[in-house]
Amino acid sequence: MSITNEQIERINALARKKKQEGLTDKELEEQAVLRRVYLDSIKANFRSQVETIKVIDENTGEDVTPEKLKNIQREKGMRD
């Protein structure tokens, strides 16, 4: 799930309004939903980056990627 620039702008607008004058109950709910979408997007992006990592021992040049990560990469077709 990814977040749009419009959603980020809305999060910022709600944050500014909250500081200046406060939010209605409906706006508080909207803010909570948008924050959850934002956090889920960050987590998904981070997970995607981590899942592409290949760990190489600098002394031996050997692939020492944890088996759990190798299995995830195999499931996604990134590894033989």
Side-chain angles (χ1 to χ4, degrees):
M1 177 182 287
S2 106
I3 190 161
T4 65
N5 287 336
E6 291 82 16
Q7 289 171 315
I8 291 173
E9 289 172 15
R10 182 64 180 154
I11 290 170
N12 293 331
L14 289 170
R16 284 189 298 274
K17 183 177 179 193
K18 183 176 182 179
K19 287 181 184 178
Q20 293 173 351
E21 59 192 81
L23 299 176
T24 65
D25 289 341
K26 186 175 180 181
E27 289 170 328
L28 286 170
E29 289 176 24
E30 179 186 8
Q31 185 181 44
V33 169
L34 288 170
R35 284 181 173 170
R36 174 52 41 205
V37 170
Y38 180 75
L39 290 174
D40 290 346
S41 176
I42 289 173
K43 288 178 185 178
N45 288 335
F46 182 73
R47 182 173 288 115
S48 176
Q49 288 179 352
V50 168
E51 289 174 352
T52 62
I53 291 174
K54 184 175 184 178
V55 183
I56 304 295
D57 183 307
E58 62 182 56
N59 296 322
T60 65
E62 186 178 331
D63 183 357
V64 292
T65 305
E67 199 59 41
K68 182 177 180 179
L69 183 53
K70 287 180 182 179
N71 290 337
I72 291 170
Q73 292 169 345
R74 284 184 191 107
E75 287 174 8
K76 294 189 175 202
M78 296 190 237
R79 204 179 259 274
D80 295 333

